[in-house]
Amino acid sequence: MKIAFRPKLLDCLSTYDRIQFGKDVAAGITVGVLALPLAMAFAIASGASPAAGIWTAIVAGFVTAALGGSRVQIGGPTGAFIPIVYGIVAAHGFGNLLGATMLAGIMLLAMGIARMGQLIRFIPVTVVIGFTNGIAVVIFMAQIKDFFGLTIDHLPAEFFARIKVLAAHAHTVDLPTLALSVACLVFLLSYNRLAQLIPPLRRAPGPLAVLVVGTLAAWLLELPVETIGSRFNGIPQEFPGFGLPDLSIHDFGKLISPAITIALLGAIESLLSARVADSQIDDRHDPNQELIAQGLANIAAPLFGGFAATGAIARTSTNVKSGGRTPVAGMVHAVVLLGIVLIAAPLASYVPLATLSAIVMVVAVNMGEWHEFKELRRYSWNYRVILLATFFVTVLFDLTIAVELGMVLASLFFIYRMSELTRIERLPMKEEAHDPRFLYPDGTMRVATWQLFGSLFFGAVNKLEELLDPREGHPEVVILDMTRLIQLDTTGLEGLENLRDKLAKRGCRLILCGLNSQPGSLLFRSGFIDQLGDDNVCADLTQALRRAWVLLPSLMGGDEEY
């Protein structure tokens, strides 16, 4: 198998100029500044250190841009990973999270090499909406502890246990923390309106503005709230240690399932982000190259202490709106973050966790497609069941189970729908077929003609049994008009073989006519046509009736001109 490896960066460099470089640098700086508070907030919400989130954005962001299949994709930690990463950290520890991330990266890399990028699009939109909204709820709930300043040593990842712990510690609400959280939340939700009234605010992203304002307010007012410095001892102003995660064979086995979850979600979100970006810049991304880049990014990030990363829709859209049109903008964004760490890291110690929790809550609210719940009444029961089942299982149990359940339900409903569309109908005989030679003495037909519609597959093959119903008479020849049969699978082939054998035991012959390309190809390749006889495969119904006249026992040896 030939491996196609051609990053979008190579296509862009051939026509690159100074003007575009200036736009890319400006966009990269804007996105880099926006990514700083999001990277820290997502990391803390995931149970990791803020430094881990920043280095994830730096390393994964640079690799995604340099080697990806999209011109404008921005990679890094995202809100969608919060419940997954938090659950892995809670169950296995941060060290094993790094191992799971690298294992997921290998899976993504293999998916890209195997050219499976297009297969991700097979996931129904109902499943995507269901788990996206479910993840948003899980993220929102995970921020309640820091938003209210609750005194909780360990917050469980499991839904019911989390609710129980939050309720048991509701009396520990810290009023200064709650006041700062609410103020930051209101400020961020109303930021667009404020920016219209105060023009200078338009130059700064909302998360960065609330980060600065919240930090200054806590410092100037000397609010007794928890900060990055008090919980994590700040952010190291240096490069992190470089090395492979320390894993054992025992650890490797228990990390396979979490790694599959990371790989699946990373593939879905990165390709969804790339598709959104395509519509904004009138371009077309390479899904396989994007998966390769995401795989390499998730392999590289843990080497620097980072964790799971994927394409970030909000940061990618900001990149486009800021003028970024090539991967250079994403690379600049990573360099900007690196510069902030090496120069201004000590200032991060003053950032209140309440401010970061407000930022993540707004991200959770914005990432959910809540209007889809209002629209449910317009759709079928199948659509509603798949979406709601995926949503509730994501919230109450686990994302992996939710996606698996959603896919199983979607597949079952699709099979049922396709089987309903598959029909077998008795055709009225043409006038020439009412020749007395085609009739039994009692007036019943010696030839039965049926037409197949749709797809004869494992979910609909049982419909062939209608042809064997005694109430349909006892013809000596059965003609199957397959002009409107568009697809045949191996189970459908087996059904035709069984039908031929059962008819033969009754002394009845089978004739096929009007074969389309796919069913005809399978019937010829399987040897079914050879066993049936070439003469019993006709171009159309008229020719099939002529063949039936020849096969009728009482006419054998007669004039074959009809």
Side-chain angles (χ1 to χ4, degrees):
M1 180 181 64
K2 184 179 179 180
I3 300 175
F5 183 82
R6 185 173 179 82
K8 278 286 185 178
L9 179 62
L10 298 180
D11 297 332
C12 296
L13 291 179
S14 60
T15 57
Y16 205 64
D17 54 31
R18 291 184 179 180
I19 296 177
Q20 187 56 56
F21 178 71
K23 293 180 180 179
D24 286 339
V25 169
I29 294 174
T30 301
V31 179
V33 171
L34 169 64
L36 177 65
L38 294 179
M40 292 191 296
F42 293 155
I44 294 173
S46 301
S49 69
I54 294 176
W55 282 105
T56 300
I58 293 173
V59 178
F62 190 90
V63 174
T64 297
L67 304 178
S70 170
R71 289 175 176 265
V72 293
Q73 182 85 286
I74 302 295
T78 66
F81 275 129
I82 290 176
I84 299 172
V85 173
Y86 186 90
I88 297 174
V89 173
H92 307 293
F94 184 76
N96 284 327
L97 168 63
L98 303 184
T101 300
M102 293 192 74
L103 186 57
I106 295 173
M107 294 177 183
L108 286 166
L109 181 61
M111 290 167 63
I113 293 175
R115 308 186 69 79
M116 296 176 62
Q118 297 293 344
L119 296 182
I120 301 300
R121 299 185 179 184
F122 291 171
I123 298 178
V125 66
T126 46
V127 176
V128 175
I129 294 173
F131 78 66
T132 299
N133 287 4
I135 288 173
V137 172
V138 174
I139 293 172
F140 190 91
M141 289 184 56
Q143 297 309 301
I144 293 177
K145 171 182 176 291
D146 288 335
F147 189 88
F148 288 91
L150 301 179
T151 305
I152 300 176
D153 294 331
H154 174 71
L155 190 63
E158 197 268 329
F159 175 81
F160 297 104
R162 175 175 291 179
I163 293 295
K164 183 178 180 180
V165 170
L166 289 174
H169 293 80
H171 64 281
T172 65
V173 174
D174 183 68
L175 294 181
T177 299
L178 179 59
L180 180 60
S181 299
V182 172
C184 291
L185 182 66
V186 173
F187 178 80
L188 194 53
L189 290 175
S190 58
Y191 186 77
N192 290 335
R193 295 182 180 179
L194 291 174
Q196 295 176 358
L197 300 175
I198 308 174
L201 291 179
R202 300 175 187 174
R203 301 179 181 178
L208 177 64
V210 75
L211 179 72
V212 173
V213 172
T215 302
L216 287 176
W219 181 64
L220 293 174
L221 299 177
E222 297 183 353
L223 296 177
V225 296
E226 195 170 16
T227 65
I228 288 179
S230 64
R231 180 181 293 185
F232 301 101
N233 296 320
I235 297 177
Q237 195 176 7
E238 58 186 13
F239 284 93
F242 179 86
L244 291 169
D246 185 15
L247 291 177
S248 65
I249 298 298
H250 175 71
D251 293 331
F252 181 83
K254 65 186 180 184
L255 294 179
I256 292 179
S257 179
I260 293 175
T261 304
I262 293 175
L264 178 62
L265 183 58
I268 295 172
E269 190 168 5
S270 63
L271 296 184
L272 179 61
S273 175
R275 288 178 63 184
V276 171
D278 285 349
S279 63
Q280 294 176 326
I281 63 174
D282 192 22
D283 191 38
R284 185 176 182 180
H285 72 281
D286 182 346
N288 299 309
Q289 182 63 41
E290 186 63 27
L291 288 181
I292 290 175
Q294 294 297 335
L296 294 174
N298 281 280
I299 292 173
L303 298 176
F304 295 86
F307 54 92
T310 186
I313 296 177
R315 274 160 278 173
T316 299
S317 297
T318 301
N319 181 33
V320 173
K321 294 176 183 177
S322 301
R325 289 297 181 273
T326 76
V328 174
M331 298 163 68
V332 171
H333 132 271
V335 173
V336 169
L337 282 172
L338 177 61
I340 293 174
V341 170
L342 298 180
I343 298 173
L347 297 178
S349 297
Y350 299 97
V351 175
L353 298 183
T355 299
L356 294 179
S357 70
I359 292 174
V360 176
M361 278 189 168
V362 173
V363 170
V365 171
N366 291 336
M367 74 180 289
E369 299 184 47
W370 312 113
H371 63 279
E372 291 293 339
F373 289 134
K374 298 180 181 179
E375 301 294 330
L376 283 178
R377 63 181 182 275
R378 297 173 49 191
Y379 296 101
S380 66
W381 277 104
N382 296 355
Y383 184 99
R384 300 176 196 175
V385 169
I386 296 171
L387 193 154
L388 292 176
T390 306
F391 171 76
F392 283 113
V393 174
T394 299
V395 173
L396 301 178
F397 299 104
D398 179 76
L399 172 65
T400 306
I401 299 175
V403 174
E404 292 172 353
L405 175 63
M407 290 298 296
V408 168
L409 289 176
S411 300
L412 290 176
F413 285 136
F414 176 76
I415 292 170
Y416 175 77
R417 179 59 177 161
M418 289 300 297
S419 67
E420 288 293 299
L421 294 175
T422 300
R423 306 194 315 275
I424 300 179
E425 296 181 357
R426 183 81 177 257
L427 292 179
M429 298 292 288
K430 293 184 177 181
E431 293 182 3
E432 61 266 33
H434 288 287
D435 186 292
R437 292 170 294 180
F438 281 89
L439 301 176
Y440 285 114
D442 62 359
T444 58
M445 299 299 302
R446 302 173 69 184
V447 177
T449 306
W450 299 78
Q451 187 168 45
L452 302 181
F453 296 81
S455 173
L456 188 60
F457 69 115
F458 62 89
V461 69
N462 63 307
K463 296 191 177 184
L464 288 175
E465 296 175 1
E466 296 180 27
L467 281 68
L468 302 172
D469 191 338
R471 292 173 296 181
E472 297 295 341
H474 299 278
E476 297 175 50
V477 177
V478 170
I479 299 174
L480 284 183
D481 184 354
M482 306 177 77
T483 307
R484 298 188 180 183
L485 185 73
I486 60 175
Q487 193 270 340
L488 175 71
D489 72 355
T490 53
T491 305
L493 171 64
E494 183 181 17
L496 288 175
E497 292 174 342
N498 292 334
L499 175 67
R500 179 200 59 203
D501 294 341
K502 291 179 180 179
L503 290 176
K505 291 179 179 180
R506 296 182 179 184
C508 181
R509 302 293 294 274
L510 177 65
I511 299 176
L512 305 181
C513 68
L515 288 176
N516 288 309
S517 58
Q518 191 278 329
S521 175
L522 179 57
L523 291 174
F524 275 102
R525 287 185 286 109
S526 65
F528 180 86
I529 298 300
D530 293 334
Q531 298 174 13
L532 187 65
D534 292 338
D535 292 339
N536 294 327
V537 180
C538 304
D540 52 37
L541 184 58
T542 300
Q543 184 179 346
L545 288 171
R546 290 174 179 173
R547 176 60 181 167
W549 180 82
V550 174
L551 292 175
L552 291 177
S554 62
L555 300 179
M556 290 299 292
D559 187 2
E560 295 192 5
E561 293 292 332
Y562 184 78

